């Protein structure tokens, strides 16, 4: 059977029987087309052997294609070859031992303390929007909350007297994190001057928009980006950047890894360990810069 005919049957199988999305099938079709351009000699299903696929993926790795791209192609060819074997169009599938390249570990984007200060100085605290946004920014940087946790925070979960925040995180896991003095002051100011007069003042949610509804994640993403641009920060900044900065700055100031893990609500210590590498790289970079200036 021709390779294209077998592929058409496979894509139909994915859509109708496996329930894959059309976008996934389009991506897989593009992967096959890219392969065919480089291997026009392979036109029949039985000619698509594991050796041919391994050779193709190895060539992509040598040309420094992104590991994530190669792994996606590997996923397609692994499933496609298995389909060909099960349907009797081919004799051999990719062995489970063939894993492909490892994904590159991406280090999170982190702000310096000076950049954090610049970002926090941008909201106009004389307006309701500015006072609320500053309270949100300060709370996020002081506690390391996820943006979803911040936007869904309820008033009853914030103990301003004792300076703590009770968070319901992923998997409904609960944790209590301390709230810094300045974040506490910003929250008190927002609550007293503006939120008490908001039309949604009786809402259980802490941060409200003009309509009295909880502030959305989308709004906060755009607001953080806006303030970062105003502050002249060249890095790509999102709410999660503040969470990354919170964790990195804690480690740089002597906090132990287990404490940071608990504050962030990470289930595994390995997830938190990425910040030790960020912290180490920042320290090395600062040292190198110092030595060049001497």
């Amino acid at each position: 059977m021709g390779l294209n005919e077998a592929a058409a049957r496979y894509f139909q199988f994915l859509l109708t029987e496996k329930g894959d999305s059309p976008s996934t099938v389009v991506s897989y079709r593009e992967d096959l087309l890219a392969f065919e351009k480089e291997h026009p000699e392979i036109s029949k299903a039985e000619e698509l052997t594991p050796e041919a696929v391994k050779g193709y993926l190895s060539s992509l790795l040598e040309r420094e294609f992104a590991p994530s791209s190669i792994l996606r192609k590997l996923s397609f060819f692994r499933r496609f070859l298995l389909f060909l074997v099960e349907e009797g169009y081919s004799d051999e599938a990719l062995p489970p031992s063939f894993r492909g390249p490892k994904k590159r570990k991406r280090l999170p984007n982190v702000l310096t303390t000076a950049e954090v200060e610049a970002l926090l100085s941008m909201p106009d605290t004389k307006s309701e929007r500015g006072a609320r946004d500053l309270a949100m920014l300060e709370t996020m940087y002081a506690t390391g909350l996820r943006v979803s946790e911040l936007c869904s925070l309820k008033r009853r979960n914030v103990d301003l007297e004792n300076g703590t925040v009770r968070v319901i995180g992923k998997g409904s896991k609960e944790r209590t994190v301390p709230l810094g003095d300045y974040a506490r002051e910003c929250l008190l100011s927002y609550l007293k001057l503006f939120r008490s007069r908001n039309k949604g003042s009786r809402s259980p949610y802490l941060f409200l928009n003009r309509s009295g509804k909880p502030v959305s994640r989308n709004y906060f993403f755009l607001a953080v980006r806006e303030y970062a641009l105003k502050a002249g920060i060249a890095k790509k900044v999102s709410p999660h950047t503040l969470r990354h900065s919170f964790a990195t700055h804690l480690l740089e100031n002597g906090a132990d890894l287990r404490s940071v893990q608990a504050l962030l609500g990470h289930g595994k210590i390995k997830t938190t360990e990425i910040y030790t590498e960020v912290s180490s790289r920042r320290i090395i970079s600062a040292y190198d810069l110092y030595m060049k200036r001497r």
Side-chain angles (χ1 to χ4, degrees):
M1 176 179 283
L3 182 60
N4 286 330
E5 184 182 351
R9 294 188 182 188
Y10 174 62
F11 296 141
Q12 188 62 34
F13 164 76
L14 291 181
L15 290 169
T16 58
E17 296 189 39
K18 298 295 289 184
D20 284 14
S21 69
S23 60
T24 297
V25 172
V26 168
S27 295
Y28 284 165
R29 185 177 284 115
E30 289 174 352
D31 288 336
L32 182 59
L33 288 172
F35 172 83
E36 289 178 321
K37 282 183 180 179
E38 296 199 19
H39 294 279
E41 75 281 3
I42 297 178
S43 59
K44 295 181 180 180
E46 59 267 26
E47 294 172 344
L48 184 66
T49 62
E51 288 69 29
V53 171
K54 290 178 187 178
Y56 172 63
L57 296 178
S58 296
S59 73
L60 297 182
L61 187 59
E62 289 173 3
R63 285 178 277 166
E64 298 185 346
F65 273 62
S68 58
S69 175
I70 297 173
L71 288 170
R72 192 196 72 228
K73 295 176 190 296
L74 171 59
S75 174
F76 160 66
F77 283 112
R78 188 185 296 281
R79 295 174 67 187
F80 185 36
L81 280 172
L82 185 60
F83 172 81
L84 294 179
V85 170
E86 290 175 346
E87 294 296 314
Y89 303 138
S90 185
D91 297 324
E92 191 179 0
L94 275 169
S97 58
F98 185 70
R99 298 293 182 183
K102 290 184 178 180
K103 280 188 177 180
R104 294 193 189 106
K105 183 166 60 175
R106 289 187 178 182
L107 296 181
N109 194 19
V110 172
L111 299 178
T112 65
T113 52
E115 287 171 333
V116 171
E117 289 174 4
L119 179 69
L120 297 177
S121 69
M122 288 300 105
D124 176 11
T125 55
K126 294 180 182 178
S127 68
E128 179 178 359
R129 179 196 181 223
R132 180 204 60 215
D133 288 356
L134 179 60
M136 293 181 75
L137 290 167
E138 285 285 352
T139 299
M140 193 165 203
Y141 180 59
T143 61
L145 297 186
R146 300 178 177 92
V147 64
S148 57
E149 295 170 342
L150 181 75
C151 292
S152 62
L153 200 60
K154 294 183 178 179
R155 291 189 65 180
R156 68 172 182 267
N157 293 337
V158 180
D159 184 348
L160 291 174
E161 184 176 344
N162 294 308
T164 59
V165 177
R166 186 165 59 89
V167 188
I168 310 300
K170 287 185 176 181
S172 298
K173 291 182 180 179
E174 183 179 311
R175 68 186 190 278
T176 300
V177 294
L179 187 66
D181 289 340
Y182 196 67
R184 180 175 171 275
E185 290 176 12
C186 290
L187 279 170
L188 283 169
S189 178
Y190 163 62
L191 289 169
K192 182 179 179 180
L193 298 177
F194 298 103
R195 194 191 179 286
S196 58
R197 293 181 289 176
N198 187 286
K199 62 174 64 177
S201 58
R202 294 185 179 181
S203 170
Y205 293 97
L206 181 60
F207 300 112
L208 305 176
N209 60 24
R210 288 183 180 179
S211 302
K213 304 291 184 181
V215 171
S216 69
R217 289 174 46 132
N218 186 55
Y219 164 79
F220 196 55
F221 267 94
L222 294 175
V224 170
R225 189 176 302 171
E226 174 193 335
Y227 293 132
L229 288 172
K230 285 184 178 179
I233 300 172
K235 299 172 183 174
K236 187 176 181 180
V237 182
S238 72
H240 222 63
T241 307
L242 284 171
R243 177 173 161 88
H244 296 323
S245 303
F246 161 82
T248 303
H249 295 168
L250 279 177
L251 289 169
E252 288 177 347
N253 284 282
D256 67 272
L257 198 60
R258 289 288 179 186
S259 297
V260 176
Q261 177 193 9
L263 292 172
L264 292 173
H266 285 162
K268 297 179 180 178
I269 194 68
K270 276 192 171 183
T271 311
T272 317
E273 284 175 350
I274 187 68
Y275 296 109
T276 62
E277 186 168 343
V278 177
S279 181
S280 298
R281 288 197 180 188
R282 281 162 51 86
I283 292 169
I284 292 169
S285 296
Y287 176 76
D288 287 344
L289 183 61
Y290 169 73
M291 291 303 291
K292 286 177 183 177
R293 289 177 174 174
R294 289 190 66 181

